[in-house]
Amino acid sequence: MLSLLYPDNYTHSGITLDREVSESLELPYIAMLICPYSTEYALGILTELITDEAVVRWRQDILEDFINVPQLEHKLRRSIKTISDSACSVFARCGATQSLYEVRENIEAIEAFADCMTECHEFVLKYGGRLRSEGIKRMLAEIEERFTSESYRELLKETAELKKSLADGIRSVTFAINFDEVMRPTEIMLLSADREQVRRRSRFERLLSRADTAEPISKIYSRKAKEGQISEIDGALFAELDALCGGYMKRVNAAIRRCYEESTDMLVKLSRQIDFFIGAKELTERARQLGLPFCRPEIVPKEQRKFVLKAMHDPVLTNRFLTERARENNAVTVCTNDCTMDDSARILLLSGTNNGGKTTYLRAAGINQILAQAGLFVYAQSAEISLCDNIFFLSPKEEKAGVNTSRFTEECREIRRTTECATEYSLVLMNESLSSTNPHDSGLLGEEVLRIFADIGCRSVFTTHIPELALLPERLNTSEVNSRLTSLVALCDENGAPTYRIAPGTPDRARNAQYIFGKFGISFEEYSRAKMHREQP
């Protein structure tokens, strides 16, 4: 079966991201942006950590076609959406005895399907030469094969004949009902069928006994069947009509089944995949609206263990700022930063300014890695990324009731599990890890953990407020390690205010602390002024 997500004969590999990792990185929010009405479907694609470079490039090519050929969305999506909706609608009704009105509705749905197939055919003729991805080309080839098939031509021919038969068909019938001795209906018989409606007799016609009119002896009771069910009398009536009219119902049901099975099945199954790629395209467009970069990442061999992004920014923060600007019409600025994990250093120790963007930087690295492995574009000016085999997210845990279940205990257990599972191809994100104990112990344990990850050779971003850890690269890089370390700092200006810039270096903690104290009025000078004001009579 043709798929836009996977090439033929693809065997699923890789793992599904842990739910806690997904939620910590706010992937459900990104999935909602991509597919607002199928968020779980989009989240399933994002959390499947693809490790096959061919699959990633297959998807990248398809997304690039959607970006470079806007008509692919505008015409093809509309046509396939109509086909999908119509197919589901008529298939739900087919197979049961129906009223002639329902037969007409089904024929109209088949005609809508035919119009969409024609639109797809015209799209191929006009824009097919501009498409580059193998997935889109194969999808359009499948549509063309159906469009030119003999069964499709027969479907159109038979639908036209059915429509003409209905247009010239029966407008009135006369039937008789036999009753038993207690007046229960026992038999219904169709006596005649006409192409003209029966008219009620006028007084003049009653005097002349005109035969082409009728006079009812009572009002006819009618009701609408529920959930497509019909009574036995109705069934018998339509069975008689079906036989008289040359098998309308059987012919229409056969046409509907053939239409669904031979022409629409593939397109219906591709509908959600097309919605996903269009949503991924719109995710890039949202960055463009803020004047921020996005790009197709270059996927480099996993052995390089590389994550090099220029002008990286966080998809979560960027999209929230865009929503805020639309709601409040405020100008917003998103700061971009470079992120480099390669042979020069694969473990980034990020410290510095409070509320200076450290967590945002860490999250940006994690989400962009996931977007790249899903075959989507990343929020950066340029990108070289090696696929990883797993992503771990470590942070202080919530307090749990029970024996030996303190926050620090839970965090240590999680770190131990990570060191046992991580490989040289893993990405480990640590957000203020080990901060649930005293600074001295945090520093000692943090050094041990970083020694382990450096030996494993994984990529890692570690945000911390522990000043001693920022000095570790000088000591650990002198020995033989599989991942070198480097210190980064969230910068502040001369007044201590955060600039949201990340650069190599160590933090000026005093300057930023003074800024924070001043911002919230926490200083001895501020306290003294307030005290003097209170003591004044």
Side-chain angles (χ1 to χ4, degrees):
M1 185 66 188
L2 176 64
S3 169
L4 296 182
L5 294 175
Y6 309 100
D8 282 348
N9 303 318
Y10 170 70
T11 301
H12 288 264
S13 59
I15 56 97
T16 298
L17 280 180
D18 184 79
R19 179 177 178 180
E20 187 173 340
V21 175
S22 171
E23 292 177 350
S24 297
L25 292 174
E26 300 193 52
L27 280 186
Y29 174 68
I30 300 298
M32 183 273 295
L33 292 174
I34 295 174
C35 291
Y37 302 106
S38 301
T39 298
E40 287 300 319
Y41 177 75
L43 185 60
I45 296 174
L46 293 178
T47 55
E48 181 192 5
L49 209 60
I50 299 295
T51 55
D52 188 328
E53 295 177 16
V55 175
V56 172
R57 293 191 179 97
W58 168 276
R59 295 182 185 181
Q60 287 179 330
D61 291 344
I62 292 174
L63 178 56
E64 203 160 52
D65 271 347
F66 274 104
I67 291 174
N68 295 336
V69 186
Q71 296 81 4
L72 187 61
E73 173 187 353
H74 299 150
K75 290 193 175 182
L76 195 60
R77 181 195 199 185
R78 182 185 62 197
S79 297
I80 291 181
K81 179 68 173 174
T82 301
I83 291 171
S84 174
D85 292 345
S86 296
C88 292
S89 175
V90 299
F91 188 70
R93 290 197 297 260
C94 74
T97 305
Q98 304 165 29
S99 70
L100 295 177
Y101 176 75
E102 288 173 323
V103 172
R104 186 181 296 276
E105 282 187 325
N106 286 343
I107 290 176
E108 290 173 354
I110 295 175
E111 288 180 324
F113 159 72
D115 291 341
C116 290
M117 289 290 284
T118 300
E119 282 195 24
C120 292
H121 171 69
E122 293 173 349
F123 172 85
V124 172
L125 296 179
K126 189 171 182 179
Y127 300 103
R130 295 173 55 186
L131 300 170
R132 296 291 178 265
S133 68
E134 187 65 26
I136 295 295
K137 286 180 179 179
R138 291 190 54 199
M139 179 185 71
L140 295 177
E142 291 270 0
I143 294 174
E144 281 292 280
E145 183 179 344
R146 284 160 170 74
F147 183 80
T148 57
S149 67
E150 186 63 30
S151 61
Y152 178 70
R153 297 298 173 191
E154 284 295 319
L155 172 65
L156 297 185
K157 179 181 177 182
E158 187 165 342
T159 301
E161 291 176 355
L162 287 171
K163 184 177 181 181
K164 186 176 185 302
S165 297
L166 285 177
D168 299 336
I170 299 168
R171 303 300 301 278
S172 66
V173 296
T174 303
F175 59 90
I177 301 176
N178 289 328
F179 299 91
D180 62 14
E181 62 276 5
V182 292
M183 296 301 293
R184 290 178 300 191
T186 59
E187 186 179 18
I188 181 171
M189 294 179 291
L190 184 65
L191 300 182
S192 65
D194 296 284
R195 298 185 184 276
E196 300 293 333
Q197 292 184 340
V198 175
R199 295 186 296 109
R200 184 188 294 265
R201 289 185 181 182
S202 66
R203 292 180 180 179
F204 181 73
E205 288 171 331
R206 284 201 298 272
L207 291 173
L208 296 180
S209 300
R210 289 284 298 273
D212 59 348
T213 59
E215 179 67 18
I217 61 174
S218 68
K219 292 184 178 181
I220 298 175
Y221 173 74
S222 64
R223 64 177 175 82
K224 184 174 178 63
K226 294 182 179 180
E227 300 177 354
Q229 298 176 350
I230 58 175
S231 67
E232 292 183 7
I233 292 293
D234 291 333
L237 170 61
F238 286 120
E240 292 280 355
L241 289 173
D242 196 28
L244 179 71
C245 302
Y248 276 166
M249 311 302 175
K250 292 179 181 178
R251 293 169 63 195
V252 169
N253 280 339
I256 291 170
R257 288 188 180 279
R258 186 164 61 252
C259 165
Y260 182 83
E261 294 172 359
E262 296 184 4
S263 300
T264 67
D265 185 47
M266 180 266 293
L267 299 174
V268 169
K269 291 181 178 178
L270 288 180
S271 180
R272 285 206 303 177
Q273 297 180 16
I274 291 172
D275 285 342
F276 176 80
F277 279 104
I278 291 174
K281 171 194 171 182
E282 291 171 352
L283 191 68
T284 64
E285 291 295 330
R286 292 172 70 87
R288 192 201 302 273
Q289 291 178 43
L290 284 178
L292 293 167
F294 64 89
C295 71
R296 171 176 174 160
E298 179 185 353
I299 304 301
V300 298
K302 70 175 185 177
E303 290 77 15
Q304 294 187 22
R305 295 175 289 152
K306 209 170 187 181
F307 183 89
V308 179
L309 272 66
K310 302 296 183 183
M312 176 186 76
H313 53 111
D314 175 23
V316 169
L317 185 67
T318 295
N319 283 282
R320 284 184 175 154
F321 273 14
L322 181 63
T323 302
E324 179 182 331
R325 188 184 73 169
R327 183 174 59 247
E328 301 181 7
N329 198 27
N330 292 333
V332 295
T333 302
V334 176
C335 184
T336 64
N337 287 287
D338 295 345
C339 183
T340 301
M341 288 181 271
D342 58 13
D343 287 342
S344 63
R346 290 191 177 87
I347 298 179
L348 311 182
L349 300 177
L350 178 54
S351 56
T353 302
N354 290 289
N355 299 318
K358 296 190 297 296
T359 298
T360 298
Y361 185 87
L362 176 143
R363 184 175 60 206
I367 294 179
N368 279 306
Q369 178 76 43
I370 290 169
L371 291 178
Q373 296 204 212
L376 308 186
F377 286 16
V378 298
Y379 276 31
Q381 190 174 60
S382 64
E384 293 180 90
I385 298 176
S386 299
L387 303 184
C388 60
D389 61 4
N390 207 341
I391 297 177
F392 301 93
F393 191 98
L394 302 172
S395 62
K397 305 301 178 185
E398 294 293 331
E399 192 79 49
K400 295 182 180 179
V403 179
N404 295 324
T405 57
S406 68
R407 291 174 56 193
F408 185 65
T409 300
E410 285 298 311
E411 190 174 3
C412 287
R413 288 173 177 169
E414 186 66 23
I415 291 173
R416 174 66 181 271
R417 285 192 290 267
T418 302
T419 60
E420 292 172 347
C421 297
T423 73
E424 60 184 319
Y425 304 118
S426 300
L427 173 64
V428 180
L429 304 172
M430 295 179 283
N431 190 31
E432 304 291 353
S433 292
L434 301 170
S435 61
S436 53
T437 188
N438 65 76
H440 179 265
D441 290 350
S442 293
L444 292 176
L445 289 169
E447 180 173 349
E448 292 302 302
V449 171
L450 290 170
R451 283 182 182 275
I452 294 172
F453 288 139
D455 185 70
I456 290 173
C458 60
R459 284 158 279 175
S460 180
V461 181
F462 187 171
T463 66
T464 181
H465 283 294
I466 305 170
E468 292 78 12
L469 294 182
L471 304 176
L472 274 181
E474 297 179 8
R475 299 203 307 271
L476 296 187
N477 288 343
T478 59
S479 59
E480 288 295 326
V481 292
N482 293 315
S483 285
R484 292 171 60 83
L485 293 79
T486 190
S487 289
L488 302 178
V489 60
L491 299 175
C492 57
D493 63 19
E494 63 276 6
N495 298 316
T499 64
Y500 306 107
R501 295 288 180 186
I502 308 297
T506 56
D508 182 351
R509 303 181 66 84
R511 181 190 298 175
N512 180 239
Q514 290 171 0
Y515 168 78
I516 296 293
F517 292 159
K519 180 179 178 180
F520 293 100
I522 306 174
S523 70
F524 186 76
E525 183 180 351
E526 184 69 24
Y527 162 77
S528 297
R529 283 199 299 265
K531 179 180 178 182
M532 291 177 60
H533 179 74
R534 289 195 303 268
E535 292 176 349
Q536 288 178 355

